[in-house]
Amino acid sequence: MLTIKKLHKSYPIGDSSLHVLKGIDLQVEEGEMVAIMGSSGSGKSTLLNIIGMLDEADEGEYILDGVPIKNLTEKKAAIYRNKFLGFIFQSFNLISYKNALENVALPLYYQGQKRKDRLEKALFHLEKVGLKEWAHHLPNELSGGQKQRVAIARALAANPKLLLADEPTGALDTKTSHEIMDFIQSLNDEGKTILMVTHEEDIASMCKRIVRLKDGVIMEDTFVEQVRASQYV
Amino acid sequence: MFDIDLWREIFQSINKNRTRSLLSGFTVAFAILLFVILFGIANGLKNTFAEAFVDDAANSIFINAGMTTKAYKGLQSGRRIQLKNEDQNFIEDEYGNKVQYITSRIYKNVNASFRNEKNSYNLRAVNPDHQFLEKTMIRDGRYINQLDIDNKSKVVVIGRLVEEDLFLKTTALGKYINLSGIPYKVVGIFTDDGGDNEERMIYMPVSTAQQIYGNNDYIDQINLGYNPELDYDQAINFGRQLENKLKERFTVSPKDQRAIRVRNMAEGTKQVGMMTFGLTVIIIVIGFGTLIAGVVGISNIMIFIVKERTKEIGIRKALGASPRSIVSIILIESILITAIAGYVGLLIGVGVLEFVGPILEPYFIKDPGVSTSLVVSATITLIIAGSIAGYLPAKKASKIKPIVALRND
């Protein structure tokens, strides 16, 4: 599903440059649920951004679903992001003046789908995250957990191959975090491949595999016994 | 490519920030308002000047003769110079290619009557070309023609008001009007933009008048229209040439101001033309200046909008928005605000002109207004201005990196 070989990335800082990723090798199969862990500055967000095609590697190979991701034009990157990837952010990143339904329908708009189809599908996904009745509310009328669920519905709307989550529970309290994790686990149970950046051990333990980064290299890559979030809910 | 969803996105964004959109539109609306009012006033001034010349063709030259005031070549001053038919022929022969129309004029005052109605009118005895020089418009019948001149026919063409005065409610065409005891057939009725005095005029063939009033070949004035292909300088030159030639012909001192008088409309027209041209240039410069200020204002606000929406644009890009769709959103929003605001300014401007137009008449501003073509070109300019204003911000927006926009801060 996803293959990364000898990935390097550095950022210029003034005259010198900061070597953030120093040769990452990673292989993720379909249906996996991977937590990428590491302290801040370990390069975990950079790795996720490169996987999310929001950033480009300096060196190395990145193959997503058999497609080599290299030297993409902005237009191509936009199409790939839309087709392959669903994003879940720590700060939800909903568009504030669009209601929940319109937010969820947005990726479908960029796929060029008809408005009627879009709204139908968006409503279906909202129902899936249990927010059908909130479809016409603006983000600022929703709680944190609800916002994140709208964001998940939006990430799912385009039916992506890979879900990328950047600290999805970072802005939520423990109880809500567990609810969200429970939902993400159920998505994984249905077969979605999920890649998640986190620095919370208990959240990471709810994944099936933990990749630990330190100073730009993978220190540890282990498959773990998944802790089900449902027991806390 | 009409994408209803794109428009929905844009209206949503404009609607979300009504104050911001209103403020940015205000600069443009004001710029256009100013432009329209200035332009309208300039047009009003032009109309005032144009009206002063509307009666006669702009390429007219009038030649009159009078008493000499200077002794010259052994001839005393105080000699009367009389224009005759041969002088008109002389000009035609000498300057045929520079003359478009030429006519003689004899002025008389006549007592006219039809049945019981009488009145006194000015009479002009003329050649057929006079119609074009005076911009006489025939309403019924015909004007004096060459046959009338050759046959010295007793026919007249009367003004609309003469018909009204003497023939009451009936038509004068084909009837006989009595001028100082002699009946003339009315062959035409005319109208004229020159006012009531012009429409109380009676025209007669010049040859008829010469036979009846004195049986000579005298004429009071020669009126000619120079070839419109001549530019103003050439026309002015032609007028001077003509004056010198005639002075030579009548043995008049070149310095004599009274004996031969040549009045050339080109001189006045040139000055008016230069003045209105200067006025137009000033207005256009001011107008474009204000418009540019408006565009810069919009551009500024659009840059601010892009800055403010950086995160949103980042989100859209992460969700798969192409750079082109981002450019469209910003660009069309800018064009829309500019076009709508500009149009509002235009409408207000036209309304103001309409409203204050009558009040301005005493200040030499007549019928201030803007033409349809100006409105159309202003609309096009606005759309272009909107694109210019939106282009840089839109480009900037499309270059936003989602990773930068989405950074948690």
Side-chain angles (χ1 to χ4, degrees):
Chain A
M1 162 105 238
L2 178 138
T3 309
I4 286 172
K5 278 183 195 155
K6 297 201 173 51
L7 202 71
H8 285 266
K9 177 75 186 177
S10 39
Y11 289 110
I13 296 179
D15 292 333
S16 61
S17 79
L18 184 66
H19 204 170
V20 184
L21 297 180
K22 301 165 181 167
I24 302 281
D25 293 293
L26 186 66
Q27 174 94 22
V28 178
E29 299 306 330
E30 198 158 341
E32 280 198 69
M33 184 166 176
V34 184
I36 300 170
M37 292 202 68
S39 55
S40 69
S42 62
K44 59 184 195 299
S45 287
T46 306
L47 181 60
L48 195 76
N49 285 333
I50 290 171
I51 292 171
M53 292 179 230
L54 300 174
D55 205 347
E56 218 174 325
D58 300 333
E59 249 179 76
E61 248 181 273
Y62 169 25
I63 296 163
L64 180 62
D65 201 35
V67 181
I69 307 297
K70 186 109 186 145
N71 297 330
L72 291 182
T73 61
E74 283 240 30
K75 201 175 156 191
K76 214 95 205 180
I79 293 168
Y80 284 172
R81 278 201 288 270
N82 188 277
K83 209 163 105 185
F84 290 139
L85 304 170
F87 290 93
I88 302 166
F89 303 96
Q90 178 180 3
S91 50
F92 324 127
N93 283 334
L94 299 175
I95 291 176
S96 59
Y97 60 88
K98 288 180 176 291
N99 65 32
L101 190 66
E102 288 168 322
N103 262 292
V104 175
L106 201 57
L108 301 171
Y109 166 62
Y110 288 119
Q111 280 186 351
Q113 294 196 16
K114 284 200 187 116
R115 184 173 166 83
K116 197 170 158 256
D117 299 349
R118 282 198 320 253
L119 293 182
E120 216 169 84
K121 279 187 196 162
L123 199 63
F124 169 78
H125 285 287
L126 268 183
E127 193 174 6
K128 210 170 161 197
V129 298
L131 288 174
K132 194 182 177 186
E133 304 81 66
W134 298 83
H136 296 286
H137 286 256
L138 290 174
N140 61 14
E141 295 162 347
L142 303 174
S143 72
Q146 285 172 323
K147 281 187 211 174
Q148 194 59 298
R149 278 192 276 165
V150 173
I152 291 171
R154 184 177 67 183
L156 292 172
N159 198 21
K161 297 203 159 31
L162 181 62
L163 267 185
L164 297 175
D166 190 0
E167 309 262 10
T169 58
L172 304 173
D173 60 46
T174 317
K175 187 172 173 289
T176 324
S177 295
H178 288 152
E179 279 170 17
I180 294 294
M181 280 314 292
D182 182 35
F183 189 76
I184 293 176
Q185 279 181 342
S186 72
L187 288 175
N188 181 243
D189 294 342
E190 287 170 25
K192 275 267 180 276
T193 315
I194 294 164
L195 218 72
M196 175 186 305
V197 162
T198 183
H199 63 263
E200 291 170 72
E201 285 292 346
D202 64 325
I203 297 295
S205 68
M206 290 173 186
C207 296
K208 291 174 177 167
R209 178 181 171 190
I210 301 178
V211 175
R212 286 179 202 277
L213 252 65
K214 195 178 180 191
D215 298 328
V217 289
I218 295 178
M219 297 292 290
E220 195 190 332
D221 185 349
T222 49
F223 288 86
V224 295
E225 188 61 36
Q226 187 180 36
V227 179
R228 297 301 295 191
S230 52
Q231 60 186 293
Y232 300 109
V233 179
Chain B
M1 181 204 80
F2 185 78
D3 184 351
I4 186 145
D5 292 311
L6 182 64
W7 288 95
R8 218 187 292 264
E9 290 282 322
I10 288 157
F11 278 113
Q12 205 170 30
S13 145
I14 290 180
N15 217 12
K16 179 191 85 171
N17 292 296
R18 251 174 253 167
T19 328
R20 191 190 64 193
S21 309
L22 265 174
L23 279 177
S24 53
F26 180 77
T27 39
V28 170
F30 198 72
I32 295 295
L33 173 67
L34 224 59
F35 181 66
V36 168
I37 289 178
L38 281 172
F39 213 89
I41 286 175
N43 272 348
L45 280 172
K46 274 193 223 167
N47 289 345
T48 307
F49 287 120
E51 196 177 55
F53 294 94
V54 71
D55 183 26
D56 304 304
N59 58 343
S60 292
I61 296 177
F62 300 93
I63 302 163
N64 288 76
M67 299 271 214
T68 60
T69 54
K70 288 187 167 62
Y72 184 65
K73 286 194 177 169
L75 294 166
Q76 282 187 333
S77 67
R79 186 165 54 95
R80 171 166 290 284
I81 305 293
Q82 179 63 54
L83 293 173
K84 294 178 184 165
N85 286 348
E86 62 198 46
D87 299 318
Q88 181 185 339
N89 297 338
F90 167 75
I91 293 171
E92 276 179 76
D93 293 345
E94 201 81 356
Y95 299 107
N97 59 336
K98 289 185 181 169
V99 175
Q100 187 188 22
Y101 301 117
I102 187 162
T103 179
S104 301
R105 264 183 181 182
I106 299 170
Y107 297 107
K108 292 285 174 208
N109 200 285
V110 294
N111 290 311
S113 64
F114 179 76
R115 295 194 182 143
N116 295 326
E117 305 299 323
K118 317 188 166 62
N119 209 343
S120 124
Y121 295 99
N122 286 318
L123 178 134
R124 275 185 198 150
V126 299
N127 293 91
D129 277 2
H130 191 274
Q131 181 184 0
F132 308 108
L133 288 164
E134 186 62 41
K135 292 189 182 166
T136 306
M137 288 164 283
I138 291 296
R139 202 193 67 197
D140 299 308
R142 62 173 178 84
Y143 200 70
I144 309 285
N145 62 25
Q146 193 56 43
L147 214 62
D148 299 329
I149 305 283
D150 296 345
N151 297 339
K152 299 178 183 165
S153 320
K154 290 200 182 61
V155 296
V156 290
V157 178
I158 63 172
R160 176 180 66 89
L161 293 175
V162 178
E163 184 191 40
E164 222 166 79
D165 292 347
L166 298 182
F167 293 83
L168 305 173
K169 294 242 152 70
T170 66
T171 177
L173 196 65
K175 291 178 180 151
Y176 286 83
I177 185 172
N178 194 316
L179 302 183
S180 312
I182 301 168
Y184 295 83
K185 189 177 184 182
V186 176
V187 293
I189 294 110
F190 69 87
T191 61
D192 194 307
D193 283 341
D196 286 2
N197 280 340
E198 287 294 332
E199 293 189 329
R200 281 216 161 79
M201 190 69 71
I202 298 175
Y203 288 117
M204 177 187 288
V206 65
S207 52
T208 314
Q210 282 170 337
Q211 190 182 41
I212 288 168
Y213 302 96
N215 199 16
N216 54 29
D217 60 353
Y218 292 178
I219 50 184
D220 293 336
Q221 188 184 55
I222 296 172
N223 188 346
L224 63 88
Y226 59 80
N227 190 335
E229 279 167 23
L230 298 182
D231 63 30
Y232 288 129
D233 289 325
Q234 285 171 326
I236 290 167
N237 236 339
F238 168 53
R240 296 208 177 117
Q241 227 178 322
L242 200 61
E243 187 172 347
N244 293 337
K245 199 85 182 171
L246 288 171
K247 281 176 175 170
E248 204 177 288
R249 181 173 161 83
F250 289 101
T251 329
V252 170
S253 160
K255 293 196 181 72
D256 198 324
Q257 301 284 333
R258 298 281 305 274
I260 296 288
R261 297 191 302 277
V262 173
R263 192 155 61 87
N264 192 344
M265 298 292 257
E267 297 187 26
T269 314
K270 187 189 176 185
Q271 281 163 5
V272 170
M274 276 166 69
M275 210 193 99
T276 46
F277 175 74
L279 207 63
T280 310
V281 168
I282 290 170
I283 300 262
I284 285 178
V285 168
I286 294 174
F288 266 88
T290 38
L291 192 61
I292 287 169
V295 167
V296 170
I298 289 255
S299 203
N300 243 329
I301 287 168
M302 291 314 289
I303 287 174
F304 176 73
I305 288 174
V306 167
K307 194 120 204 139
E308 200 188 58
R309 289 173 71 178
T310 300
K311 191 159 191 137
E312 181 201 325
I313 289 165
I315 296 167
R316 285 173 182 273
K317 285 192 145 188
L319 296 180
S322 62
R324 194 178 141 177
S325 78
I326 300 291
V327 169
S328 308
I329 283 187
I330 304 293
L331 202 58
I332 295 178
E333 185 172 328
S334 161
I335 293 174
L336 208 65
I337 293 177
T338 316
I340 291 176
Y343 221 77
V344 168
L346 195 77
L347 287 182
I348 296 175
V350 171
V352 166
L353 287 179
E354 199 73 16
F355 185 70
V356 301
I359 304 168
L360 290 174
E361 197 138 354
Y363 304 100
F364 299 107
I365 297 165
K366 191 182 182 319
D367 293 338
V370 287
S371 58
T372 319
S373 64
L374 184 82
V375 171
V376 170
S377 50
T379 312
I380 293 168
T381 312
L382 281 174
I383 290 172
I384 294 171
S387 347
I388 294 171
Y391 181 75
L392 281 179
K395 207 75 204 156
K396 207 176 144 120
S398 79
K399 291 227 171 76
I400 287 174
K401 286 207 182 312
I403 174 174
V404 178
L406 296 175
R407 203 164 273 162
N408 296 323
D409 44 88

